[in-house]
Amino acid sequence: MTTVDLGVPRLRRPGSAGAGAGLPTDRPATPDLLDRHGRTARDLRVSLTDRCNLRCHYCMPPEGLPWLERAEVLTDAEVVRLVSLAVRDLGVREVRFTGGEPLLRKGLEDIVAATTRLRTADGSPVATSLTTNGIGLARRAGALAAAGLTRVNVSLDTLRPDRFAAITRRDRLADVLDGLRGAAAAGLAPVKVNAVLLRGTNDDEAADLLRWALAAGYRLRFIEQMPLDPHGSWQRSQMVTAEEILAALQREFRLVPRPGTARGAAPAETWDVVDDDGAHLGDVGVIASVTRPFCGDCDRTRLTADGQVRTCLFSTTETDLRDALRSGADDATLADLWRTAMWGKLPGHDVDDPGFLHPTRPMSAIGG
């Protein structure tokens, strides 16, 4: 019998915490999103839709997934209210919009504009970013920049049209490349590219992707494939690890660990790319959530498209803000629900724990 190593704490149990729980008595009297392990959430990831116009085989089946009904999805006004609450009352300083594919959200520019008008407790503007597959970005990048969006992360796993079509089940590589150029032209910098290497599919492209990114002026980040597929077929043994990625890059590039900087809450470990004379050519990052987790410094809180707070990508529990909001809860009540959710955050995802409980929702429904 083969053991499949997937990754969430086995203490978690499916379920959803609802309204009316009240603040835990052991929680300090502070407005911020604290947890019991000394972390404070400052970075909010907001999923704007569970829908996507690609069908990446490690994310969803060819026919897609059962999408949320329109009435289940937060309205633009509801998104803005909850984001405003997070910034004004809960100490959030950064907001990243995700999906599904967030460019499918018609009101995206208005939501971004409302977010960038917010100010943190010390009067600083909110840092805003967008994670996208890049399709449609070329025609919307200018409007997003005008709305105040700071930068974009574009997902791209291969530079080969045939492989792109095989991975995504769509022939849209040219559109993604156009989107990257459009983002750069609009000043949404630094433009970051997120790539997942898949064993036997594109795991020979690490150096090609970095060479291309350096030439184009993009910042490349490799991401270990995570156990968030809807069919539960992920196997750790099939994942291309950070060690393998770095070994492939070092065969063709000189990588120097960036000195004087700790990764902290940043998910990527970063290396400078230098030539034989030591001149800086750019950098490359590896997000190794499985083999080199950064849970101890995690500063994220997540809001799904249907208004559920998640404390971790791998959570099997959620806290429902949407129903509380629609039932007339005031901001103080919503804030306390959010604080209570984050106070219960577990110390780590324990990806290598054999007692895996698969998250109840796939990545497209959670938000990247």
Side-chain angles (χ1 to χ4, degrees):
M1 179 177 179
T2 301
T3 298
V4 178
D5 290 324
L6 298 170
V8 293
R10 49 187 162 178
L11 294 178
R12 296 191 180 197
R13 294 295 182 265
S16 176
L23 285 173
T25 57
D26 61 337
R27 186 187 182 279
T30 175
D32 293 338
L33 294 172
L34 306 179
D35 67 35
R36 288 185 174 90
H37 310 285
R39 299 166 297 192
T40 301
R42 303 290 189 192
D43 183 339
L44 170 61
R45 306 296 172 95
V46 181
S47 175
L48 296 177
T49 179
D50 62 329
R51 297 171 185 258
C52 188
N53 42 15
L54 296 181
R55 296 291 182 271
C56 298
H57 63 71
Y58 56 80
C59 188
M60 63 178 66
E63 66 276 11
L65 294 164
W67 309 126
L68 291 168
E69 298 293 335
R70 183 179 297 274
E72 297 178 277
V73 177
L74 294 175
T75 67
D76 291 1
E78 289 170 336
V79 171
V80 170
R81 181 180 172 189
L82 292 176
V83 171
S84 300
L85 174 69
V87 173
R88 184 188 67 237
D89 297 338
L90 300 175
V92 164
R93 299 172 184 167
E94 300 180 30
V95 178
R96 179 181 296 187
F97 296 105
T98 71
E101 174 45 54
L103 290 176
L104 296 178
R105 182 83 181 219
K106 292 182 179 179
L108 175 60
E109 289 83 357
D110 292 337
I111 293 171
V112 170
T115 301
T116 58
R117 287 194 293 268
L118 299 172
R119 292 296 179 267
T120 64
D122 64 3
S124 301
V126 180
T128 57
S129 58
L130 180 77
T131 296
T132 172
N133 63 30
I135 296 175
L137 183 58
R139 59 183 172 79
R140 296 181 73 174
L144 288 167
L149 189 70
T150 306
R151 62 175 182 81
V152 295
N153 285 35
V154 178
S155 299
L156 179 61
D157 301 330
T158 178
L159 298 172
R160 304 183 187 185
D162 58 332
R163 288 184 176 178
F164 185 92
I167 293 170
T168 69
R169 302 186 178 100
R170 299 290 187 271
D171 185 13
R172 305 296 297 273
L173 176 60
D175 296 314
V176 177
L177 296 176
D178 284 346
L180 283 161
R181 288 187 287 265
L188 296 173
V191 175
K192 294 186 178 181
V193 176
N194 297 336
V196 176
L197 295 184
L198 305 166
R199 195 173 301 283
T201 300
N202 65 338
D203 52 342
D204 59 345
E205 285 192 67
D208 289 343
L209 283 163
L210 180 54
R211 191 175 297 107
W212 163 79
L214 293 172
Y218 306 140
R219 300 184 68 184
L220 180 62
R221 299 291 181 263
F222 289 101
I223 303 176
E224 287 182 339
Q225 185 186 358
M226 292 180 284
L228 292 166
D229 57 299
H231 31 68
S233 62
W234 183 92
Q235 296 184 43
R236 192 187 189 286
S237 62
Q238 291 301 305
M239 179 190 70
V240 181
T241 67
E243 183 178 359
E244 292 175 282
I245 295 166
L246 290 169
L249 295 176
Q250 288 168 334
R251 285 194 286 270
E252 299 194 35
F253 295 94
R254 183 180 174 191
L255 304 183
V256 179
R258 184 161 289 178
T261 57
R263 179 173 60 166
E269 294 180 87
T270 304
W271 286 261
D272 289 311
V273 185
V274 300
D275 65 15
D276 292 338
D277 298 320
H280 186 258
L281 303 175
D283 62 54
V284 63
V286 178
I287 300 174
S289 297
V290 178
T291 63
R292 301 180 185 181
F294 57 98
C295 302
D297 293 306
C298 180
D299 67 347
R300 284 157 191 77
T301 183
R302 298 176 181 275
L303 184 67
T304 66
D306 56 345
Q308 311 299 307
V309 169
R310 295 178 66 92
T311 61
C312 175
L313 269 176
F314 303 109
S315 292
T316 54
T317 61
E318 299 176 335
T319 297
D320 189 351
L321 296 187
R322 182 198 63 201
D323 285 358
L325 185 157
R326 292 179 180 179
S327 297
D330 59 17
D331 283 357
T333 300
L334 294 171
D336 280 349
L337 281 170
W338 208 326
R339 293 184 186 109
T340 299
M342 295 307 295
W343 186 242
K345 183 172 182 173
L346 293 176
H349 57 53
D350 292 341
V351 164
D352 288 327
D353 191 326
F356 164 72
L357 290 178
H358 199 283
T360 54
R361 297 216 254 183
M363 175 68 91
S364 62
I366 295 169

